[in-house]
Amino acid sequence: MSPARWLGWLIPEDQREFVLGDLEEFYGNGRSVRYCVELFRVAGVLRWNHRRRPDPPALYRRRGDSPVTALMNDIRYGLRQLTRSPSFTLLSILTLALGIGATTAIFSVVNPILFRPLPYPGADRIVTVAERDKEGQDAGTGYATFIDVQRMARSFEAVAVTSSWQPTLQERGDPERLDGQRVTQAFFSILGVRPILGRDFTPEENVRGKHRVTILSHGLWQRRFGSDPTVIGRPVTFDGIQYTVIGVMPRSFESLLAPTAQLWAPLGYELSLPWACRTCHHLREIARLKPGVGPEAARRELDVISGRLVAEYPTEYAAPGMLVVPLHTALTRDVRPALLALLGAVGFVLLIACANVSGLLLGRGMQREAEFAIRGALGAGRHRVMRQLLTESVLLSVLGGAAGAALAWWGVKGLAALAPPGLPRLNQIGIDSRVLAFTVALSLSCGLLFGLVPALATARPDLFAVLRPGGRHTSQRSRRLARGILVAGEVALALMLLVGAGLLLRSLERLLAVDPGFDPRSVLTMEVQTTGARYNDNGPTWDFFDRALLAISAVPGVEQAGWTSMLPLGGNFDRYGVQIEGKLLANPEEAPSADRYAVTPEYLRAMRIPLKRGRTLTRQDGAGAPAVVLINETFARIGWAGEDPIGKRVQLGGPHERWRTVVGIVGDVHHTGLDEQQAPQIYLPEIQWLGADGAMVLAARTRGDPATLVPAIHAAIRSIDPSLPILRTATMEDVLAATAQPRRFALVIFQLFAVVALLLAAAGIYGVLAAGVTERTREIGIRSALGASRGGLLKLVVRQGLGLTAAGLAAGTVGALLLSRFLGGMLFGVGARDPLTFIGVVVVLLAVALVACWAPAWRATRVSPLEALRGE
């Protein structure tokens, strides 16, 4: 043992370890003269309580250490301190891992959608262009209008339109229906991409009858063509028609306008086609702005062009003016509010976690007052101690961030599985270098954030009061106040999250309670696509669906089955303008539009759509019979207010179509969503429509679980024609549940965050009260010695905890009232300030606070006056 160790008796026993450890770290093994001099100086301060602070010894006046060396010394000392308190360290790391991990996981979802630039060169110059409807919203684009914009606009380098395309690939294995796009020639040049193999479309190929060429996605090329480079120039059959492959897109290409698209072909329109009219708004238009031209300048130019077109074709447009929206804004417009709400919610969880760790550091700082006083006696200034404390808090946050990144990697998979299918760039969600950089920056920021308050509160202790034998902690009151503020903040943030989760829960309950207009139980659905030259005529198509229906109805377990051109809530859309006899309008754009269902008579019974008045469709309503339709109650109310529509006639699809007699009124059916406004609807016999629908959806009501009949029904359909693809097999209950998936996604995340916030807030209340009981042991002992009852002591502690909770509830209620309006777009049937939700959340938080208060309060009643006052 060194000679200096024998002089350790000069240092008070409870402070000896800190002093000798620090001196030996800087002066070696204690044999130097300088070591002994410093030892005597410090001992004089600590044992004999000199009122004059000594000059800073060489321990804190060294000039040779570089900033890097000083930082490494702080890190080594901080790691030693953390390993000495494994319980505190583990609890802090777990708390931070929850907050940082959850934030990282949500950021990994939000980043590619809202913050990452689009994967196209000059993406800030790509915009969407659309006509306005009567409400000023996006109404799509008609082909004739697109031609005029392309010809007259000077703000764009190029303009293109797209439409959906779903061909069936009929070679190299089983028939497969693919999602694709038909596009005009400039489409890929606007996006700034080129095929990796082959070439782009040419203007000559965008002509009707000459557009039998296609470009494949990289994934389709690999999956169905084995990455064969000789595929270029090869004929491929889609829907019985030969197309020539002219290109393959790069692996990195993202088709954000149609994320599921796997192939592209020229649009091939000409103005003589009936679906190329000005009122046929089924096209989507994009454009690339010229350098120096902004979206607003382009919009003003298009408004002028639109005014000219409206003046020239007054019956062709619903409203003047056009919309020009940056592509990134257009793609994220629907999901931005929900994603920002989720990002805000996880930010609250992170703040609560930081507040909890900050409270733990405050309590630990009180336990280390003697250490900091000794360091002050050795000459350490306030900034030196603050630097050490901040280093330790950053070490905690880095360790918590590392654990949080691992937690986020696991959580991102769950988020991707829960995410609604319509979420853009869903395939880009994951942990990448940007997300990891965000995690590192977040960890460092959190370390400084939650370490600042404890560092400020701990870095300047009363040196002599702390080191005096039996001395009291003089800064307890200010620290209790700081911890109380942190806990009240945790309660406030937890209340905001719980209110958000409560509103979403009540909204989802209201949504699922909506009557869809049919009975989804025990109904199996699937889509069948006719394709090929044999189905070019109406007769073979109608014959196939009729024979397939007979085969399906013969399957044991099938009670009723029918075909429909559209499945309610199935994501499809088929709407036509309707003219009412005796109420003709000069401008067809002003006529009401209705969802068109071409059905077999059995469909309505299979779905149990109720007949309200008149009669339903029958097999007698054949091709040669008088044309008839059913309408829903909404159409009856809008089209014939105060009249009986039975026997009245309507014209569907244009002024040259035949008139159809209304023979019955059925109940309203929600088609686009349970939360959407009810639209007019028309049901007509599929055999009486203008042409046979090549794709029909089966609705089969079964006995027992419909999923068990999938193989038998597939076999029945293939017994009629094995070459046709069967798509989207699902129960109607699954289809119905999918409509609520976006709200359920937000609800699950909010509920998870709310539970975490509630647990962290309860832990914060418990920690503050438990530490308070420990710090006030002497006071409690005196109260007990003076005759205070256990009930009185219990009330004292519980009152303190409920006071903090009440302050947090008051602040949180104000914050929730201000922030709940951001959830308005995700709510249905519930107001953003629903009183029942607010009251329920307050009651839950009060109950949790009482539970958190009980254990420290009970411990306070067990304090022995003799033990508490022994030190006096």
Side-chain angles (χ1 to χ4, degrees), residues 119-193:
Y120 307 128
D124 57 325
R125 291 166 50 205
I126 304 176
V127 296
T128 63
V129 180
E131 300 176 44
R132 294 176 183 266
D133 60 16
K134 296 177 183 178
E135 288 74 33
Q137 302 301 313
D138 188 331
T141 299
Y143 184 75
T145 304
F146 155 69
I147 293 297
D148 289 333
V149 169
Q150 188 180 47
R151 176 172 51 88
M152 292 188 285
R154 298 292 178 264
S155 298
F156 306 120
E157 287 184 352
V159 186
V161 289
T162 75
S163 68
S164 62
W165 181 39
Q166 292 184 317
T168 298
L169 179 62
Q170 294 176 297
E171 61 180 52
R172 292 177 176 265
D174 294 335
E176 179 184 2
R177 194 173 76 173
L178 304 171
D179 288 333
Q181 289 178 286
R182 287 197 177 275
V183 301
T184 51
Q185 179 265 332
F187 177 76
F188 289 116
S189 62
I190 290 173
L191 298 181
V193 294

Side-chain angles (χ1 to χ4, degrees), residues 548-769:
L549 187 60
L550 290 175
I552 293 167
S553 300
V555 172
V558 174
E559 291 184 349
Q560 292 171 323
W563 295 107
T564 178
S565 59
M566 291 199 304
L567 185 70
L569 306 175
N572 40 18
F573 183 83
D574 191 16
R575 184 169 292 179
Y576 287 82
V578 182
Q579 291 276 28
I580 300 174
E581 189 175 31
K583 302 179 181 181
L584 297 180
L585 299 172
N587 185 357
E589 286 290 316
E590 298 177 359
S593 57
D595 295 330
R596 178 201 69 107
Y597 295 87
V599 301
T600 60
E602 301 83 2
Y603 167 77
L604 295 165
R605 292 190 291 273
M607 291 288 284
R608 293 184 180 169
I609 297 173
L611 177 67
K612 300 297 184 177
R613 293 183 56 197
R615 69 170 179 89
T616 188
L617 302 178
T618 68
R619 281 285 173 175
Q620 283 67 45
D621 298 315
V628 296
V629 295
L630 303 176
I631 63 173
N632 67 335
E633 292 179 295
T634 295
F635 194 12
R637 184 172 58 256
I638 292 175
W640 293 272
E643 301 178 43
D644 182 5
I646 303 296
K648 304 295 177 61
R649 298 202 304 169
V650 296
Q651 192 178 53
L652 183 66
H656 303 294
E657 303 303 329
R658 58 177 171 171
W659 291 92
R660 304 171 186 271
T661 303
V662 177
V663 296
I665 302 173
V666 298
D668 290 336
V669 170
H670 287 276
H671 181 74
T672 56
L674 295 176
D675 57 344
E676 297 292 336
Q677 185 176 358
Q678 183 62 56
Q681 295 167 339
I682 283 183
Y683 299 83
L684 51 87
E686 52 93 19
I687 203 169
Q688 289 188 351
W689 184 235
L690 312 177
D693 287 274
M696 297 287 280
V697 182
L698 174 71
R701 182 166 297 278
T702 66
R703 291 184 290 272
D705 184 5
T708 61
L709 296 183
V710 170
I713 293 179
H714 280 193
I717 295 172
R718 290 196 172 102
S719 69
I720 307 302
D721 189 338
S723 67
L724 300 183
I726 302 174
L727 314 162
R728 300 177 183 175
T729 300
T731 67
M732 199 63 216
E733 289 180 307
D734 290 339
V735 173
L736 185 62
T739 64
Q741 191 171 356
R743 283 185 171 85
R744 187 175 284 109
F745 174 66
L747 173 63
V748 168
I749 296 178
F750 260 89
Q751 283 181 324
L752 179 62
F753 291 165
V755 170
V756 171
L758 190 62
L759 294 176
L760 290 177
I765 295 172
Y766 171 83
V768 165
L769 295 182

